Amino acid sequence: MNSREHRRLALILAASLVLSLEFRGSASAAPPGDVGTRVLQHSNQPPTPKARHPRFVQQSDPPLPPKRPSQGAESRDSNCPGTDNKALMCRLVNEYRAKNGLKPVQLDAAVGRQSQYWSDQLKKRLACWFLHHDSNYHARMRAAFPGRRFRENAACSGFEEGGAKYILEKWINSSGHRQNMLTPDWKTIGVGVTDNIWVINFTN
């Protein structure tokens, strides 16, 4: 084979190598409709609103226009005077009752004394992990409030940081305690709290 044929063969091999590389390159650059391209687009572009987690959708939404202040735990409630934990719990209960179309209850000092009595007793008995109602509850409440109906909720957070909002949420998630708070006939509420042990009583 002479030198001219060697050069021709070398040119043919070089051309075939270039074509092979170009073909592979075009195969890796998938057309717009290819699956691989869609994956790259999803990874490079923000997800559509339907694919977002609701938490992020809410964060990305424009702020809502200001609402008129409602009778909530943070606003003034003439039924629950004061700034302590007892007043706060009263306001939270009234807020929850209002959301369910019910009238507010009035914070009552006499009912509160009965609630505080049992909260203190539970604390003395170290009863956070085995809460129980007073076996003398009905007799005690009848003596204090003759002719009236009454109901009691008690709870212990199990840790010092569990405040009124935490306890209220636990009561809301319990059908019996929730029913006690949503009884339409109640007019008064008494709140007792000793550290992390909460007791509320309702009367008509």
Side-chain angles (χ1 to χ4, degrees), residues 14-37:
S16 64
L17 180 61
V18 170
L19 288 174
S20 175
L21 291 173
E22 288 178 352
F23 176 78
R24 290 177 183 176
S26 64
S28 64
D34 189 77
V35 174
T37 304

Side-chain angles (χ1 to χ4, degrees), residues 67 86 91 98 105 165-166 186:
K67 296 182 178 180
K86 298 177 182 182
R91 290 193 293 270
V105 289
K165 292 182 179 180
Y166 176 88
W186 301 142

Side-chain angles (χ1 to χ4, degrees), residues 36-157:
T37 304
R38 288 199 300 269
V39 172
L40 289 175
Q41 288 172 344
H42 285 315
S43 65
N44 291 333
Q45 295 180 1
T48 61
K50 290 183 179 179
R52 292 176 181 168
H53 190 280
R55 181 173 55 197
F56 300 121
V57 171
Q58 292 171 359
Q59 289 176 347
S60 63
D61 287 342
L64 295 174
K67 296 182 178 180
R68 295 178 61 186
S70 60
Q71 186 185 46
E74 302 303 326
S75 62
R76 184 180 299 276
D77 183 350
S78 60
N79 295 290
C80 308
T83 59
D84 60 3
N85 282 327
K86 298 177 182 182
L88 173 59
M89 178 62 80
C90 175
R91 290 193 293 270
L92 289 170
V93 170
N94 277 345
E95 182 181 62
Y96 182 58
R97 285 173 64 87
K99 288 178 180 178
N100 288 273
L102 298 177
K103 294 180 179 180
V105 289
Q106 175 77 42
L107 189 63
D108 184 280
V111 182
R113 282 192 290 273
Q114 299 299 323
S115 300
Q116 188 62 54
Y117 163 79
W118 191 240
S119 177
D120 292 340
Q121 290 298 310
L122 289 171
K123 179 65 177 179
K124 290 177 182 178
R125 302 176 190 189
L126 305 176
C128 184
W129 300 109
F130 45 95
L131 285 178
H132 56 282
H133 292 289
D134 183 6
S135 59
N136 195 42
Y137 174 72
H138 290 282
R140 174 166 55 85
M141 293 297 285
R142 285 194 191 101
F145 311 105
R148 289 159 72 172
R149 294 172 52 228
F150 35 82
R151 291 285 176 84
E152 179 178 81
N153 284 357
C156 180
S157 67

Side-chain angles (χ1 to χ4, degrees), residues 145-179:
F145 311 105
R148 289 159 72 172
R149 294 172 52 228
F150 35 82
R151 291 285 176 84
E152 179 178 81
N153 284 357
C156 180
S157 67
F159 56 96
E160 296 296 333
E161 292 78 10
K165 292 182 179 180
Y166 176 88
I167 294 296
L168 182 81
E169 193 64 29
K170 296 301 180 184
W171 282 333
I172 289 174
N173 292 330
S174 169
S175 60
H177 296 88
R178 181 172 64 247
Q179 182 180 355

